[in-house]
């Protein structure tokens, strides 16, 4: 009888410990609620940050990202700090520049609305980067977004996440 009580007490504390760790692991960064008008304004002014939450390589499985990866779009520059999973056909000259990391100041920025809906396609084509050909964002009115990156020397890759305002 005494061992049953001890076992149930141990199970209770183990369950409590596991639930504590699960709560800590699922705690996420608070995301600012944006209206469709806010998002349209950010897209029209070419000032937003795309925060990647998941990556979907052409070959392989979808992965949730545990670190902070983003693309910052400003009127005069695009800064990309994204990971890469997949097949690369040419290694970077600088090993510290793995993934999709670059800053571009010469690029084409094109926006296409979705016929009255709360959805926009934003296409960025860097002219001063010989690896990334195109970054195609599909942004929704609730702030969620997807990003497809087409590269010269790597398989295509896509990301899902959300957009937010650029912090001052």
């Amino acid at each position: 009888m005494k061992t049953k009580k001890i076992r149930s007490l141990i199970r209770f504390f183990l369950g409590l410990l596991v639930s504590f760790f699960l709560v800590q692991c699922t705690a996420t960064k608070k995301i600012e609620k944006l209206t469709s008008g806010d998002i349209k304004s950010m897209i029209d002014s070419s000032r937003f940050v795309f925060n990647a939450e998941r990556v979907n390589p052409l070959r392989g499985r979808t992965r949730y990202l545990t670190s902070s990866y983003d693309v910052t779009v400003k009127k005069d520059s695009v800064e990309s700090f994204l990971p890469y999973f997949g097949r690369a056909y040419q290694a970077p000259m600088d090993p510290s520049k793995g993934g999709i990391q670059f800053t571009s100041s010469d690029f084409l920025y094109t926006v296409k609305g979705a016929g009255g809906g709360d959805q926009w396609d934003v296409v960025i084509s860097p002219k001063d980067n010989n690896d990334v050909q195109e970054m195609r964002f599909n942004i929704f009115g609730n702030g969620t977004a997807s990003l497809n990156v087409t590269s010269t020397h790597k398989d295509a890759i896509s990301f899902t996440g959300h957009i937010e305002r650029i912090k001052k």
Side-chain angles (χ1 to χ4, degrees), residues 29-81:
K29 181 173 99 171
K30 192 165 189 150
I31 299 171
E32 175 187 7
K33 283 286 189 188
L34 298 171
T35 66
S36 181
D38 294 335
I39 293 168
K40 182 173 180 1
S41 171
M42 289 188 302
I43 292 169
D44 289 343
S45 67
S46 307
R47 282 187 61 81
F48 62 90
V49 176
F50 170 78
N51 290 304
E53 296 165 354
R54 284 188 312 175
V55 59
N56 187 16
L58 186 63
R59 305 164 199 253
R61 61 182 175 82
T62 300
R63 296 178 170 116
Y64 284 93
L65 299 172
T66 55
S67 296
S68 179
Y69 295 101
D70 59 22
V71 177
T72 303
V73 179
K74 297 179 184 173
K75 213 165 216 10
D76 60 347
S77 67
V78 174
E79 294 178 34
S80 174
F81 181 72

Side-chain angles (χ1 to χ4, degrees), residues 99-156:
I100 304 169
Q101 299 179 31
F102 68 91
T103 299
S104 175
S105 58
D106 186 14
F107 58 93
L108 293 175
Y109 181 88
T110 310
V111 178
K112 296 177 188 167
D118 285 345
Q119 180 180 347
W120 299 269
D121 288 329
V122 176
V123 179
I124 296 174
S125 302
K127 294 180 181 178
D128 55 357
N129 185 300
N130 62 353
D131 187 33
V132 175
Q133 293 176 338
E134 180 179 90
M135 301 179 90
R136 182 177 296 271
F137 296 89
N138 191 359
I139 303 171
F140 298 93
N142 63 359
T144 60
S146 64
L147 166 62
N148 296 312
V149 180
T150 306
S151 178
T152 306
H153 306 294
K154 299 175 184 170
D155 281 346

